[in-house]
């Protein structure tokens, strides 16, 4: 029970990687808060793991503040924060991506990390400990074509992780990032601009181990980085990518 007694918040926890992380954390003994913009999805996962479901728009400051307040009111602390919520834009030439799509990608993928830090870090500092885990992407390390602004938002998360880790280390707070390869999750068709055997084969060809990631792959890595087993690990970028970025 590597997460026994820990209070963990997982954003975007209603599906995909977030749901996988939430399930694994609960199995390892954590009390898990599923924070998602989709109430029904959050509640479904929360019922399954006996967790707490909260509706939150991670790109909107007041919504994040309300979420943090609700968790602290119920549990008195936040031991682990997983910034998993993320979106992409339709693949295409970088100059043809609509401004609204660009703004949405950076609001959810980048601004959310700032907002969550703004409203969760003070409680971690007061406790003198905490763990923040950002879920990035292999595309933020080795960009994929026609996804320029998504790639950039995930690249931003890598340097944000290191900056946060450096500044928060004196307060006992560790910050790391997992960069997965494309996963067989609801977002896969968005990355590919559709879903077909041909598109999947094209994406798969770039992965040396020959398969997409799964929520379980990411969850196993998340437990390590968020448990006391990784007590001396901060500022690390763990590639869960089947070798794609080698």
């Amino acid at each position: 029970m590597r997460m026994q007694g820990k209070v963990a918040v997982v954003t975007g926890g209603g599906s995909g990687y977030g749901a996988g992380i939430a399930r694994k954390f609960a199995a390892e003994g954590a009390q898990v808060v599923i924070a998602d913009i989709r109430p029904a999805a959050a509640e479904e996962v929360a019922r399954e793991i006996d967790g707490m479901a909260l509706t939150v728009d991670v790109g909107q400051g007041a919504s994040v503040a309300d979420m943090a307040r609700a968790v602290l009111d119920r549990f008195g602390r936040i031991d682990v924060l997983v910034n998993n919520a993320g979106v992409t834009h339709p693949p295409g030439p970088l100059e043809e991506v609509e401004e609204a799509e660009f703004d949405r990608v950076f609001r959810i993928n980048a601004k959310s990390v700032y907002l969550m830090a703004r409203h969760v870090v003070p409680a971690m500092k007061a406790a003198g400990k905490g763990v923040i885990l950002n879920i990035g992407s292999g595309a933020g390390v080795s960009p994929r074509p026609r996804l320029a602004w998504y790639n950039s938002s995930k690249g931003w998360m890598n340097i944000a992780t290191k900056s946060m880790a450096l500044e928060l280390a004196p307060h006992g707070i560790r910050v790391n990032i997992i960069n997965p390869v494309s996963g067989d999750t609801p977002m896969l068709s968005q990355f590919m601009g559709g879903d077909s055997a041909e598109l999947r084969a094209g994406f798969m060809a770039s992965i040396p181990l020959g398969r997409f990631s799964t929520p379980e792959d990411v969850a196993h890595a998340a437990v390590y980085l968020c448990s006391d087993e990784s007590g001396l690990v901060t500022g690390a970028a763990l590639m869960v990518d089947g070798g794609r970025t080698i």
Side-chain angles (χ1 to χ4, degrees):
M1 302 293 277
R2 292 176 290 169
M3 302 285 290
Q4 186 67 46
K6 295 185 183 296
V7 176
V9 175
V10 181
T11 70
S15 65
Y17 296 144
I21 291 168
R23 292 184 180 108
K24 183 65 175 174
F25 279 8
E28 292 286 349
Q31 296 175 297
V32 185
V33 179
I34 311 301
D36 203 295
I37 199 167
R38 302 158 301 161
E43 288 164 6
E44 181 177 353
V45 176
R47 281 195 299 272
E48 177 186 339
I49 65 172
D50 193 24
M52 177 183 184
L54 288 175
T55 303
V56 62
D57 178 349
V58 295
Q60 209 279 331
S63 182
V64 173
D66 289 345
M67 183 220 72
R69 189 178 306 111
V71 178
L72 292 169
D73 285 348
R74 176 165 174 177
F75 297 107
R77 68 188 195 281
I78 297 173
D79 300 305
V80 175
L81 167 65
V82 180
N83 286 312
N84 166 76
V87 296
T88 186
H89 56 79
L94 60 88
E95 75 275 16
E96 294 181 12
V97 174
E98 295 291 338
E99 184 177 355
E101 288 286 353
F102 175 92
D103 288 343
R104 176 173 178 262
V105 165
F106 274 84
R107 186 174 75 87
I108 302 302
N109 295 0
K111 185 180 180 182
S112 65
V113 177
Y114 154 75
L115 290 173
M116 296 298 292
R118 181 171 172 81
H119 295 289
V120 172
V121 164
M124 289 183 171
K125 282 185 174 181
K129 61 181 180 178
V131 178
I132 298 173
L133 177 62
N134 297 323
I135 306 300
S137 169
V141 178
S142 178
R144 287 190 179 275
R146 296 168 59 83
L147 288 168
W149 309 120
Y150 170 77
N151 299 336
S152 301
S153 71
K154 292 300 187 176
W156 179 95
M157 289 182 76
N158 279 281
I159 194 62
T161 297
K162 291 181 181 296
S163 299
M164 294 166 71
L166 187 62
E167 183 169 334
L168 296 177
H171 301 279
I173 301 168
R174 299 188 296 109
V175 189
N176 295 293
I177 186 168
I178 294 174
N179 288 315
V181 73
S182 303
D184 200 356
T185 69
M187 281 186 68
L188 181 60
S189 63
Q190 299 174 48
F191 289 125
M192 298 189 301
D195 199 350
S196 67
E198 292 77 15
L199 287 169
R200 284 176 175 256
F203 261 57
M204 192 81 74
S206 69
I207 307 171
L209 284 182
R211 69 172 176 85
F212 293 119
S213 67
T214 67
E216 291 74 23
D217 291 322
V218 176
H220 291 315
V223 167
Y224 168 67
L225 288 174
C226 293
S227 73
D228 294 340
E229 292 177 353
S230 61
L232 198 61
V233 180
T234 195
L238 179 56
M239 308 308 298
V240 182
D241 68 348
R244 190 186 85 80
T245 57
I246 294 173

